[in-house]
Amino acid sequence: MPGSLPGGWGTALRAVPRVSRDDFRAPLRKGEPRVVLDNVRDWPALHRWDPDYLRSVAGEREVTVRETNGPPRNIFQNLAAGGRTSFGRYLDWVLDTADGLERIALSCSGAGEITRAVCADGFRCSYYLDAKLRQLSEDLLDDAPPPGWYRRGPIDTNLWCGVLGTSSGLHCDVTPNCNVQVVGRKHFVLYPPSQARRVYRIPQITHCRFDPNLPDYERFPRARRAAGWQCTLDAGESLYIPVGWYHQVTVVSAWALNVNFFWPRPLTQGLSAPPLWPFLLRRGWARLLDRS
């Protein structure tokens, strides 16, 4: 049977260090995650992004939502057909659904307990929004400028929106990124690149088979020895994640809204994540072939 320690975690998880914006420097190589405090203290988004404002600037814009049958668990690994709708209509679904989930958010502690409660709540299907912020609204993009501590501008700025229990599934990114919480709270479990085998990364892609929210150690016994980190972001807090760090992100408030910046990958960070080398080589080779 799946098992875990109290709080929903199968192994002890180290707290991600927290630093002030003035003290943080994005590493050129390797590096570790950091929660950056006061990173966006001047953001208009923190004061403006209520449902009425969001509808007024982007309500009519068409978006594509990720749709999954059943509860919003590991939504990137349990995809059904996606669909297009207006941002305003999607936001209405989020707020209506969040009203029914508020009791779970208030009564449960830990992402594991929340995941189990949401799975038992009778979802027929659920939806998660991952949209390019510029395409959604230039006003929203202006409300959420990139952090000034990175040397180059972002290659992507994404908006994420989902309800309680929505999980990305454990995966890594091939570019450094910063996740900024605007509304609600999100919990992160992270593992360094060296733990790829213990979290059962799926060959040739960046997602993993192991789910730290509902750990099944009979199927994934090596995960018992996985050395992980964790943190929870409140509105106004940010998490910097270097290349190759596996992370599972779970909404732990009735609903949540956050902005994710992705920057160009420093060569030295790519070199510091050996499990990603075959994937990066295949991607680079495919791009060369496309140009030829």
Side-chain angles (χ1 to χ4, degrees):
M1 295 293 292
S4 64
L5 294 178
W9 310 113
T11 55
L13 296 171
R14 173 183 174 184
V16 176
R18 304 167 75 86
V19 299
S20 71
R21 177 175 71 174
D22 295 336
D23 293 334
F24 179 70
R25 298 293 182 272
L28 284 173
R29 61 177 301 276
K30 211 167 184 178
E32 298 175 340
R34 290 290 184 270
V35 174
V36 186
L37 306 175
D38 297 322
N39 185 38
V40 294
R41 56 185 173 229
D42 302 323
W43 264 23
L46 292 175
H47 312 290
R48 291 179 181 167
W49 285 16
D50 60 28
D52 289 339
Y53 176 77
L54 295 171
R55 289 192 190 94
S56 70
V57 299
E60 301 302 317
R61 190 60 57 91
E62 190 176 55
V63 294
T64 300
V65 294
R66 301 177 185 270
E67 177 185 345
T68 185
N69 292 321
R73 172 174 168 254
N74 280 345
I75 206 159
F76 283 84
Q77 292 160 302
N78 302 304
L79 289 177
R84 297 190 67 80
T85 186
S86 71
F87 178 59
R89 186 178 179 189
Y90 171 72
L91 189 59
D92 288 341
W93 176 85
V94 166
L95 297 174
D96 288 345
T97 305
D99 282 344
L101 294 173
E102 185 72 37
R103 58 180 176 79
I104 295 177
L106 294 174
S107 63
C108 292
S109 62
E113 186 177 340
I114 285 171
T115 300
R116 287 189 289 272
V118 169
C119 285
D121 203 53
F123 274 84
R124 294 182 58 189
C125 59
S126 52
Y127 308 91
Y128 196 20
L129 177 65
D130 167 15
K132 305 293 185 187
L133 194 55
R134 182 181 297 278
Q135 296 175 9
L136 185 61
S137 168
E138 289 286 348
D139 290 326
L140 295 182
L141 187 68
D142 291 341
D143 288 342
W149 40 255
Y150 208 82
R151 293 163 295 280
R152 301 169 63 182
I155 55 177
D156 268 325
T157 303
N158 292 354
L159 180 77
W160 304 84
C161 185
V163 298
L164 182 74
T166 302
S167 165
S168 64
L170 188 62
H171 68 287
C172 71
D173 295 310
V174 299
T175 59
N177 69 90
C178 179
N179 199 296
V180 182
Q181 198 66 34
V182 181
V183 174
R185 306 171 76 233
K186 277 190 172 180
H187 189 274
F188 293 73
V189 178
L190 307 102
Y191 299 93
S194 62
Q195 302 297 294
R197 186 172 177 273
R198 291 179 175 176
V199 295
Y200 293 83
R201 183 171 70 87
I202 301 170
Q204 301 185 13
I205 64 174
T206 57
H207 274 76
C208 303
R209 295 166 60 205
F210 177 64
D211 179 355
N213 286 349
L214 298 176
D216 184 343
Y217 296 118
E218 290 188 358
R219 291 182 63 200
F220 309 113
R222 292 194 303 270
R224 288 187 181 276
R225 301 187 302 277
W229 299 35
Q230 68 172 326
C231 68
T232 300
L233 293 188
D234 291 305
E237 296 181 338
S238 308
L239 175 64
Y240 172 80
I241 305 176
V243 169
W245 275 72
Y246 299 94
H247 51 285
Q248 180 154 309
V249 189
T250 306
V251 177
V252 292
S253 53
W255 71 291
L257 194 69
N258 68 304
V259 174
N260 207 182
F261 297 99
F262 294 88
W263 287 282
R265 180 180 61 256
L267 176 62
T268 48
Q269 274 201 17
L271 292 175
S272 68
L276 283 182
W277 290 353
F279 179 86
L280 295 175
L281 286 172
R282 284 194 303 272
R283 174 178 283 192
W285 184 248
R287 287 176 177 171
L288 287 175
L289 291 177
D290 287 341
R291 294 172 184 169
S292 61

